[in-house]
Amino acid sequence: MAEIHGTSAPEYSKLGELLSSTVDSGKDVGASVSVTVDGETVVDIWGGWADEAKTTPWSENTIVNVWSTTKTMTFLSALVLAERGTLNFHEKVATYWPEFAQNGKGDIEVRHLMGHTSGVSAWEQPVTTEDIYDWEKSTSMLAAQAPWWTPGEGSGYHALNQGHLIGEVIRRIDGRMLGDFFAEEIARPLGADFHIGLDPTEFGRVSNVIPPPPLDFDLAALDPNGVLIKTFTGPAPGAEESWTPEWRQACIGAANGHGNARSVARIQAIVANGGTVDGVSLLSAETIQMIFEEQAHGVDQVLGLPVRFGMGYALHSEAVPYLPEGNYAYWGGWGGSSIIVDIDRKISFAYVMNRMDEGLLGDTRGINLAQEVFKR
């Protein structure tokens, strides 16, 4: 069996067995798993390899691009400003970012950005991946375009641009870029190794993601003017783009966060544990409850799946039948990474890996681990 490193409380020992089995089978190449309970880390394990050639072991400090799991860090950043009273989710975006009112977007509220209901789910063409590295250019482009559906009427997953939208609101309020705000107000106080915009000095410990198999449906058969195609082509970086220094260093709060399961679970333990972890207090119970204000519930017109969105995070619904009833806030990243927060039992669970599977949001590896955690 593949050797698994780290520590685990006895009642969670099965997680190590599950991780070992997926490494043995090849479903995982390298991965990490972490669980916190009452703000304390009870599982911190890792195993496998940091590279596809299996020459470098996945270590305690290996980090990887977690794709849309990054969004939960952007949500938390916005919640911190809401806690401080400087951001109101029900206020118009243009109150903070006046230019956003262009082209019929004057009534869009911040909650619409958080809940994927703004109608601005990607950049209008023409747009390149290089454009989104340029903050001023990319946010100006978003401010200038018109919504693709009536804001507030259903969700359309803001796959790549949500961090730019929320991040610009944060910048207009606070003055700092999202990555800097997150680092200074959340990650560093918690001693958490997660980065939105990675310093080149950290590149040596990054495990490059292993791209997923190609999608098994014909994009050409879909409506080129539909929200789905416009979202996934506006722009459409491949997984290999995350290997580049330009991607790693950019501020892409929807997709380029780098971390491991330990850092993801520890940061989101703030939400699970009533707003405080190890003496670091960021949120009140009242602010945490804002997460559960439903913004959309139905088939998402980008994902094509039923999703129930709260204030940023997805909430318990038919989309996660493997979780028992309860107050959960969760999301995941392209290829498999995931974070689940159980407010009732004060548990946070994270799975982070390098081998991407074909799913846009999670897969059986993370589901099997989550079932083991939340079966109690």
Side-chain angles (χ1 to χ4, degrees), residues 26-39:
K27 292 179 180 178
D28 269 316
V29 173
S32 58
V33 178
S34 187
V35 178
T36 72
V37 180
D38 295 326

Side-chain angles (χ1 to χ4, degrees), residues 95-115:
T95 299
Y96 308 107
W97 177 9
E99 299 90 333
F100 190 78
Q102 296 175 70
N103 241 323
K105 301 196 303 302
D107 290 331
I108 294 175
E109 298 175 11
V110 178
R111 66 187 179 93
H112 297 136
L113 306 183
M114 297 286 286

